[in-house]
Amino acid sequence: MGQGRTRLKVNDKVEIIAGKDKGRVGKVLRFDDACRRVVVERINMITKHQKSRDPNQPGQIVEREASIDISNVMLVCPECAETVRTGNKVLDDGSKARTCKKCQATIETPKK
């Protein structure tokens, strides 16, 4: 498995660049850093057969998101609305910020 840090964060808007959901856009929900996988909202939906846990609750079929490999997603720039690579830039106050390689805009992670 590949090592290294990801340039994505939770709540980033990403586009799927490979697989059955290619071209679809969604929000990053969570990461699995050990396996280099990411869960994206309403992407790679699976059906899970859930067993009944107590006599009052029946068993059911639940639809949920499954993880996909992090190499199959690409960040969407909020300024130019395209899939982009990111760079890092040190701001005047000394903090770091992600920047779009195409339009040079600073990429802010939207809050919930």
Side-chain angles (χ1 to χ4, degrees):
M1 276 176 242
Q3 296 295 321
R5 292 179 37 159
T6 178
R7 290 183 167 87
L8 296 175
K9 293 183 179 180
V10 174
N11 293 329
D12 276 346
K13 189 175 174 185
V14 294
E15 182 175 331
I16 310 304
I17 59 172
K20 68 178 185 179
D21 292 319
K22 183 177 180 177
R24 293 185 57 201
V25 177
K27 184 174 76 169
V28 175
L29 298 178
R30 62 183 179 273
F31 288 95
D32 182 6
D33 290 330
C35 298
R36 304 268 305 153
R37 296 180 75 80
V38 63
V39 176
V40 182
E41 184 177 49
R42 303 299 301 161
I43 303 290
N44 197 22
M45 297 300 290
I46 60 167
T47 53
K48 176 107 172 130
H49 294 258
Q50 196 170 40
K51 196 174 183 180
S52 113
R53 294 291 174 204
D54 59 76
N56 299 337
Q57 178 193 7
Q60 57 187 347
I61 299 174
V62 179
E63 203 171 72
R64 67 180 185 97
E65 297 97 353
S67 65
I68 57 175
D69 197 87
I70 205 162
S71 65
N72 294 335
V73 299
M74 204 165 180
L75 182 69
V76 175
C77 176
E79 298 292 320
C80 58
E82 294 183 45
T83 56
V84 293
R85 291 184 179 178
T86 59
N88 288 326
K89 183 169 123 182
V90 178
L91 301 176
D92 295 332
D93 63 352
S95 62
K96 287 184 184 178
R98 294 182 298 166
T99 58
C100 171
K101 288 279 194 173
K102 288 185 181 177
C103 67
Q104 305 303 316
T106 301
I107 299 171
E108 297 291 328
T109 303
K111 302 295 180 203
K112 287 186 178 179

